Amino acid sequence: MSKNINNAKSKLSFIYVIFFLSSIAMFIVAMIFTIYINDMENKTINSIQNHLLVAAQRASVYVSVDELDLFHTAEDMERPEWEEIRGRLQRFAEESHVLYVYYWRYIGDGLIQYIIDNDEDEEYMVTPELIFALEDDPFTADAVPRIMAGESWVADLGIYTESWDDLISAVVPVFNDDGTIYCAAGVDLSDEVLVTMHHNLRTVRYALIISLIVSILSGFFGIRSYNKKANQSISASLSKGQFLSSMSHEMRTPLNAIVGMTAIGKRSDSINKKNRAFSKIEEASSHLLGVINNILDMAKIEADKLELSSVDFSFERMLQKVITVVSFRAEEKQISLSFNINDDVPDYITGDDQHLAQVITNLLSNAVKFTPEGGEVKFSASLLGEAYGECELQIEITDNGIGIDPEHQKKIFNMFEQAKSETSREYGGTGLGLVISKRIIELMGGRIWIESELGKGASFIFTFKTRRCDDNYADEQSDETTGQAKVIGRKSGSFAGLRMLIVEDVEINREILLSLLDETGLIIDTAENGEKALSMVAAAPDKYDIVFMDVQMPVMDGLEATRRIRALPDRDRGKLPIIAMTANVFKDDIENCINAGMDDHISKPLEIDRIFEVLHNYLKSRF
Ligand code: ADP
């Protein structure tokens, strides 16, 4: 187990390292790629701007100042030079690979006047008539001070895109012979490709950053959820390991006592020592039985087969039985036990008294177990509400013992979890009691919770739904039970003269049953398998008053033997009580016994009280 856990842990560390390294690698690649893209974009833009500047420089000397000075008004366009220069400019644009070439002059007062360009479209061509206020043209307004200072100007990428067509411009001054500035020469190029490239590269950059973030985040969350699952499975393995070791401890301890005390009892000559050994063996056996019953309950819970019965019972009487179980241990530890049942709690209710008693016994035993000597344990029951005969009761069991810290409070209702492994080492226990209790309470339509402070004690509070039942009916029931209890008393010779057949393949079990029934006065025959039992019953049809039948046996099992006995032709066979004795205590197993024709069921290990109860129920009409 610990090897698996170590493997899981080192796998986890390995995944972390890989994730960390790959995140760094991805980040570096993304950075390099971004720098490369930026560089490429800048170089492209620079080369285009240079191309424009060169073209603008050429344009500034391509038409002379004298020629440009010919055009100041609309009438000047009538001059023959107008078309001739426009033709030259069209050739220039073609040769220089620009879209437009044009000239404008600053005429003061924030106004510029266009002079001439190459535009073949008469509608859009520039003429001296076009005079613009700089405030209406922010780009040229940006260029004018530079031109007037004798510098060149290149538009930033895409600035025209939204206002004018997709153009990029460079403008340079045109100098007079004396070095003063006459006007500006400009060239435009469509920057559609450039802008598209710029946009695409920007998209690529964003996509890169987003995919980097997404992949790092998804890696991070993926690892986190893997980590969570791995930790859960590690802690489940640890809890399971812990559970198995405390379970083994819980079973070995009483078994050890049984084996040891049996040896002591056998060796000892003193009857007192033998008796002491027997009582220790009895104590250890009932503890072991408790552990096994818990495991069986747990198996039922896991298989979703835990089912509740419904009987009418006295709440107080059920509680009395529980008190009998826990008071002995409480007295030993000088713990004061106090019980308070509110007046509004119904005397008689309908529900599963056995399972309710099991929950209360578990909570009270825990309270006593985890409370130091001289402490206090209080029980209280109250009615939370009632409607249409259905009522909700609340039970609270409070102690002033060791308490449970908040972190562990969350865990103790989970399978294989105890409050703390140190606690289980010190106090023992399998940690199954609360899991089983919680499940039972949930089946009763209730819930359970803890209120506790470490070192100050704990309160276990649970609610459950039940029905108030008819007092008279319950009284009858309880009278019958009390009456029965009296008759069941194990008087010697209670069943004298009646005949019983025990069908059991394991010799020691036959022997135990024979000696348990020694004083009843029953005349007992035995059979080692179903086939033999069948032939014994068939041979002497009215001989037996009752049959105790094991279920799993070689040659012919108990179910088959019962079916065959029931099928025998004699009419009295149908009345012969056949009681199953089985270690299989699931509801399905019991149903199988009943379906095969058996009348009742006693579970192994056999409890003497239950044996007498069954004998009384089925034999009372025969004596
Ligand atoms: P166990 O058989 O081990 O007592 P339970 O399921 O009944 O199993 O209890 C689980 C754990 O809850 C115990 O081991 C103990 O640590 C804690 N616990 C239960 N009741 C109390 C209590 N009254 N005070 C302190 N701790 C308790």
Side-chain angles (χ1 to χ4, degrees):
M1 177 110 47
S2 71
K3 198 176 163 202
N4 286 344
I5 291 168
N6 284 340
N7 276 348
K9 281 184 177 167
S10 56
K11 203 169 159 191
L12 208 60
S13 319
F14 178 69
I15 288 173
Y16 270 125
V17 171
I18 292 290
F19 173 69
F20 184 68
L21 291 179
S22 60
S23 297
I24 291 180
M26 266 163 64
F27 185 74
I28 292 172
V29 169
M31 290 312 288
I32 292 173
F33 194 58
T34 311
I35 292 169
Y36 173 73
I37 288 175
N38 281 347
D39 189 47
M40 201 176 76
E41 192 185 3
N42 288 338
K43 278 186 178 148
T44 312
I45 292 169
N46 281 344
S47 85
I48 288 177
Q49 286 177 334
N50 285 341
H51 165 74
L52 276 172
L53 271 178
V54 169
Q57 297 289 0
R58 282 188 59 222
S60 71
V61 291
Y62 192 73
V63 182
S64 69
V65 171
D66 293 341
E67 284 172 318
L68 291 170
D69 203 36
L70 294 174
F71 310 114
H72 286 272
T73 61
E75 291 78 55
D76 294 338
M77 290 159 62
E78 303 300 326
R79 291 175 184 273
E81 290 87 351
W82 176 256
E83 280 308 326
E84 187 265 319
I85 294 174
R86 276 175 47 77
R88 271 165 53 203
L89 288 177
Q90 279 157 12
R91 281 196 299 282
F92 174 87
E94 241 171 71
E95 285 164 11
S96 307
H97 306 289
V98 295
L99 204 57
Y100 301 115
V101 50
Y102 50 88
Y103 298 85
W104 50 255
R105 60 170 77 90
Y106 181 66
I107 55 174
D109 297 332
L111 297 172
I112 61 157
Q113 180 187 32
Y114 277 89
I115 304 172
I116 193 165
D117 75 349
N118 66 317
D119 203 344
E120 288 172 39
D121 189 341
E122 302 255 315
E123 202 180 331
Y124 296 108
M125 69 181 190
V126 301
T127 67
E129 278 179 311
L130 280 175
I131 296 177
F132 276 103
L134 285 178
E135 58 191 29
D136 296 334
D137 180 359
F139 308 119
T140 314
D142 188 35
V144 167
R146 301 276 297 276
I147 298 301
M148 298 318 280
E151 294 167 11
S152 52
W153 176 87
V154 186
D156 284 337
L157 184 67
I159 60 166
Y160 288 153
T161 308
E162 275 160 30
S163 47
W164 293 346
D165 290 341
D166 304 318
L167 298 176
I168 181 167
S169 319
V171 185
V172 297
V174 176
F175 294 97
N176 290 310
D177 288 342
D178 60 1
T180 56
I181 290 151
Y182 174 72
C183 70
V187 287
D188 285 355
L189 195 66
S190 165
D191 69 350
E192 193 180 352
V193 177
L194 260 180
V195 170
T196 312
M197 182 192 82
H198 179 68
H199 283 166
N200 287 350
L201 290 182
R202 198 171 53 184
T203 312
V204 168
R205 265 197 299 262
Y206 286 149
L208 197 69
I209 290 169
I210 289 170
S211 58
L212 184 71
I213 292 172
V214 167
S215 57
I216 289 179
L217 282 183
S218 60
F220 174 74
F221 285 116
I223 286 188
R224 214 167 72 147
S225 95
Y226 176 83
N227 184 17
K228 204 169 158 193
K229 277 193 194 138
N231 279 337
Q232 272 169 357
S233 78
I234 288 172
S235 90
S237 314
L238 285 171
S239 311
K240 228 169 192 169
Q242 174 75 35
F243 168 77
L244 286 176
S245 92
S246 48
M247 188 65 82
S248 142
H249 173 262
E250 280 298 293
M251 292 175 99
R252 276 171 183 278
T253 310
L255 211 53
N256 204 25
I258 293 169
V259 173
M261 281 298 155
T262 309
I264 292 172
K266 263 170 79 182
R267 256 192 280 118
S268 169
D269 293 333
S270 140
I271 194 76
N272 281 346
K273 275 193 178 168
K274 277 190 191 294
N275 280 345
R276 195 176 161 274
F278 282 141
S279 75
K280 289 282 172 203
I281 290 169
E282 194 178 24
E283 212 177 279
S285 312
S286 83
H287 180 76
L288 191 57
L289 190 61
V291 174
I292 290 170
N293 280 340
N294 268 352
I295 296 170
L296 284 176
D297 273 347
M298 210 59 229
K300 283 188 210 169
I301 287 175
E302 290 241 275
D304 221 6
K305 282 197 169 163
L306 187 73
E307 285 173 25
L308 300 184
S309 62
S310 179
V311 293
D312 297 337
F313 66 96
S314 153
F315 183 74
E316 200 175 323
R317 210 165 289 153
M318 177 276 305
L319 195 58
Q320 279 301 340
K321 286 187 196 159
V322 174
I323 295 171
T324 320
V325 178
V326 291
S327 59
F328 176 67
R329 183 84 184 110
E331 272 165 30
E332 261 186 354
K333 289 178 81 179
Q334 292 165 353
I335 287 171
S336 91
L337 275 180
S338 62
F339 291 85
N340 174 41
I341 303 176
N342 276 10
D343 292 342
D344 51 11
V345 173
D347 293 337
Y348 294 95
I349 55 175
T350 306
D352 190 327
D353 58 336
Q354 308 268 357
H355 277 110
L356 183 60
Q358 184 181 348
V359 172
I360 299 175
T361 310
N362 180 34
L363 297 181
L364 279 173
S365 311
N366 276 350
V368 170
K369 182 171 164 186
F370 296 108
T371 300
E373 293 208 352
E376 212 180 4
V377 172
K378 290 182 194 158
F379 171 99
S380 73
S382 56
L383 179 73
L384 281 186
E386 185 168 4
Y388 307 107
E390 188 170 89
C391 36
E392 190 175 14
L393 298 185
Q394 177 166 304
I395 309 277
E396 186 165 346
I397 290 157
T398 304
D399 63 65
N400 61 353
I402 60 169
I404 311 162
D405 65 52
E407 194 197 327
H408 291 102
Q409 286 178 27
K410 292 180 220 147
K411 292 187 182 172
I412 54 174
F413 291 112
N414 294 348
M415 186 119 36
F416 310 129
E417 296 269 12
Q418 281 176 315
K420 272 184 182 176
S421 47
E422 309 92 76
T423 320
S424 76
R425 270 198 293 275
E426 189 177 338
Y427 292 88
T430 54
L432 290 180
L434 288 178
V435 186
I436 295 168
S437 299
K438 182 169 183 258
R439 184 71 192 122
I440 293 173
I441 290 164
E442 283 168 356
L443 285 176
M444 290 178 175
R447 63 190 192 95
I448 181 166
W449 68 97
I450 312 167
E451 286 170 10
S452 175
E453 220 180 296
L454 197 62
K456 294 199 175 159
S459 284
F460 282 80
I461 306 156
F462 73 92
T463 61
F464 66 99
K465 294 203 175 104
T466 178
R467 292 190 77 79
R468 184 188 286 275
C469 83
D470 186 286
D471 286 8
N472 295 332
Y473 173 67
D475 278 342
E476 273 170 32
Q477 291 271 95
S478 63
D479 285 350
E480 198 180 292
T481 330
T482 338
Q484 196 172 303
K486 275 182 212 145
V487 183
I488 293 171
R490 287 175 247 156
K491 282 187 286 171
S492 64
S494 318
F495 304 103
L498 297 178
R499 287 184 171 270
M500 179 185 198
L501 173 62
I502 293 174
V503 191
E504 165 67 68
D505 58 325
V506 181
E507 194 187 344
I508 178 106
N509 288 349
R510 288 200 299 269
E511 202 180 316
I512 290 171
L513 199 50
L514 283 173
S515 62
L516 286 176
L517 297 172
D518 204 20
E519 292 174 12
T520 56
L522 282 166
I523 304 159
I524 303 175
D525 288 341
T526 57
E528 312 85 69
N529 60 53
E531 194 178 70
K532 190 143 183 230
L534 175 66
S535 62
M536 286 167 81
V537 174
D542 300 320
K543 186 175 177 185
Y544 298 108
D545 297 289
I546 192 162
V547 177
F548 274 19
M549 176 86 77
D550 185 20
V551 174
Q552 278 186 10
M553 284 180 294
V555 187
M556 184 188 288
D557 68 23
L559 299 177
E560 183 59 19
T562 306
R563 276 193 284 269
R564 300 258 190 118
I565 291 173
R566 294 294 183 223
L568 287 172
D570 197 279
R571 62 185 163 79
D572 267 356
R573 295 283 148 49
K575 290 185 196 160
L576 174 63
I578 303 178
I579 313 298
M581 297 184 293
T582 171
N584 305 338
V585 283
F586 288 128
K587 202 169 173 231
D588 291 354
D589 302 314
I590 298 168
E591 271 171 14
N592 287 343
C593 295
I594 304 296
N595 291 341
M598 295 182 172
D599 297 275
D600 211 331
H601 158 270
I602 324 180
S603 55
K604 288 177 180 172
L606 301 173
E607 283 176 26
I608 187 72
D609 285 342
R610 174 74 182 136
I611 294 174
F612 275 84
E613 186 187 332
V614 169
L615 286 176
H616 172 266
N617 282 349
Y618 291 92
L619 295 180
K620 66 182 172 200
S621 60
R622 301 190 189 221
F623 55 80

